[in-house]
């Protein structure tokens, strides 16, 4: 049995298990049983799409179910809120939260009387004056009960919806897909790095960059889109280094379906296809048809909810939104500031969750520009992830130039997988293990010399001193 391979596999497996365990326990603590970061947009949008599709979800807490009673307008709320409060009280309501930025109220009703409460609502209130959305409470934001987040693609929200349906509408369950993906990114980066380098050490260096990355750590415990984008970008990098044409096409489509910046590595797919494909039909399929088809599949949920034409109009309009300035924001961080972690985006205070970046990783990619020709000759596979990183940075720069100046530090999440692969391979090549081994031998020899000199000095005045330190 190869003990090195066994130890390597064990380290990776334990790291993945530890990542899931730590992130799950951190994300499930009571103080985070609420919306953090941009969950205030993505989670309500997911819940609203499920409601439009006729799918109810459940939030269960201490023997109660959560329910949002949403009135058609403020006038109906004024007329019927007292009646709804009375029905909730008669059914043993444990918790009430009134919304002030939209006409609604949230209750937690005991399980035993929950069905009765809904039936009495239906019997008492006029049809069309209200509707019910079961599950967790909404953030108190204007028009949030109708918000669908169509300015972003839907794969990330599909994953949030899936977890809501299968497990329940609860903060830790919204976050579970991202937590699992964080661990899978570790595995994917290790596999990609080993494919390029054939080195366990290089793979472990890359793994260390992923595990320690504060951007991945923060976004993995928030039900946002960026951790999903980073996951599918890592699959894209893996497919590229394995020279899988179909895999690359599928992965870039999935990355774009999570968030549009997932497509920023597309020029690398184009470059690869230009080098390989002789047939125009096959070339066009690889770079356009397959990625587009894969991109559209996760959009089926929102298309089914609102219709194809409304979805298409809103999707096309989203490009103008992405290239627009959203107004002053104290947490804005343009793409060049990510390289020095200038302004981390705060997701939550106490406990503090900030989307910080890793300057060592990102600035390392700047330094490696000057070493890449040499590295490419030694490890040709390193060029593809290197190009994915800089293609993504280039498109963020283009977005900024074209008007999309409202950028934040957590956008850098999608840069981490490709950067980690490149840094693992590069450091293993540039910082040779022989240098460390020979240096350690040198230090050990000098330490023995120092001990012997100290010993001789200590016993220099004795009549019969020991001849050596061992004596």
């Amino acid at each position: 049995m190869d003990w090195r391979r066994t130890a390597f596999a064990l380290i990776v497996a334990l790291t993945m298990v530890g990542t899931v365990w730590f992130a799950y326990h951190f994300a499930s603590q009571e103080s985070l049983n609420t919306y953090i970061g941009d969950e205030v947009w993505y989670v309500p949008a997911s819940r609203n799409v499920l409601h439009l599709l006729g799918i109810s979800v459940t939030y269960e807490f201490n023997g109660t179910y959560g329910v949002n009673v949403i009135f058609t307008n403020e006038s109906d709320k004024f007329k019927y809120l007292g009646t709804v409060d009375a029905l909730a009280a008669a059914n043993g309501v444990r918790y009430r939260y009134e919304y002030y930025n939209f006409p609604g109220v949230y209750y937690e009703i005991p399980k035993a009387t929950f069905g009765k409460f809904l039936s009495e609502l239906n019997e008492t209130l006029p049809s069309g004056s209200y509707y019910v959305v079961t599950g967790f409470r909404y953030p108190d934001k204007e028009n949030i009960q109708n918000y669908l987040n169509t300015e972003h693609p839907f794969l990330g929200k599909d994953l949030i919806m899936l977890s809501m349906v299968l497990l329940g509408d609860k903060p830790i369950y919204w976050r579970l897909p991202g937590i699992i993906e964080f661990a899978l990114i570790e595995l994917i980066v290790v596999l990609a790095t080993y494919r390029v380098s054939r080195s366990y050490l290089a793979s472990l260096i890359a793994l260390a960059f992923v595990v320690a990355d504060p951007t991945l750590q923060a976004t993995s415990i928030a039900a946002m889109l960026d951790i999903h984008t980073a996951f599918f970008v890592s699959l894209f990098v893996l497919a590229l280094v394995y020279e899988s044409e179909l895999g690359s096409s599928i992965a870039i489509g999935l990355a774009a379906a999570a968030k549009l910046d997932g497509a920023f590595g597309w020029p690398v797919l184009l470059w690869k296809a230009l080098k390989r494909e002789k047939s125009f039909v096959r070339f066009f399929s690889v770079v356009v048809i397959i990625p587009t088809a894969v991109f559209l599949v996760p959009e089926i949920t929102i298309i089914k909810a609102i219709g194809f034409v409304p979805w298409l109009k809103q999707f096309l309009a989203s490009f103008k939104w992405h290239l627009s300035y959203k107004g002053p924001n104290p947490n804005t961080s343009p793409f060049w500031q990510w390289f020095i972690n200038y302004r981390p985006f705060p997701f939550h205070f106490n406990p503090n969750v900030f989307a910080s970046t890793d300057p060592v990783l990102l600035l390392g990619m700047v330094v490696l520009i000057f070493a890449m020709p040499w590295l490419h000759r030694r490890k040709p596979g390193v060029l593809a992830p290197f190009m994915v990183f800089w293609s993504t940075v280039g498109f963020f720069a283009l977005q900024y130039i074209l008007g999309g100046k409202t950028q934040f530090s957590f956008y850098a999440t999608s840069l981490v997988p490709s950067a980690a692969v490149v840094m693992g391979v590069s450091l293993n090549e540039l910082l040779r293990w022989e240098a460390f081994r020979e240096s350690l031998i040198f230090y050990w020899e000098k330490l023995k010399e120092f001990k012997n000199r100290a010993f001789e000095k200590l016993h220099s005045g004795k009549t019969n001193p020991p001849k050596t330190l061992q004596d």
Side-chain angles (χ1 to χ4, degrees), residues 264-290:
F264 286 177
W266 180 82
V268 184
L269 177 66
L270 178 64
W271 167 68
K272 287 276 191 179
L274 284 170
K275 288 175 60 179
R276 282 195 299 247
E277 295 302 335
K278 306 301 182 186
S279 163
F280 175 77
V281 173
R282 187 172 174 84
F283 168 80
F284 193 72
S285 297
V286 168
V287 300
V288 176
I289 295 177
I290 295 173

Side-chain angles (χ1 to χ4, degrees), residues 189-199 203 238 241-243 381:
V189 165
V190 164
L191 293 174
T193 307
Y194 187 79
R195 174 71 175 186
V196 174
S197 66
R198 300 296 179 181
S199 165
S203 303
L238 182 67
V241 300
Y242 269 83
E243 299 288 335

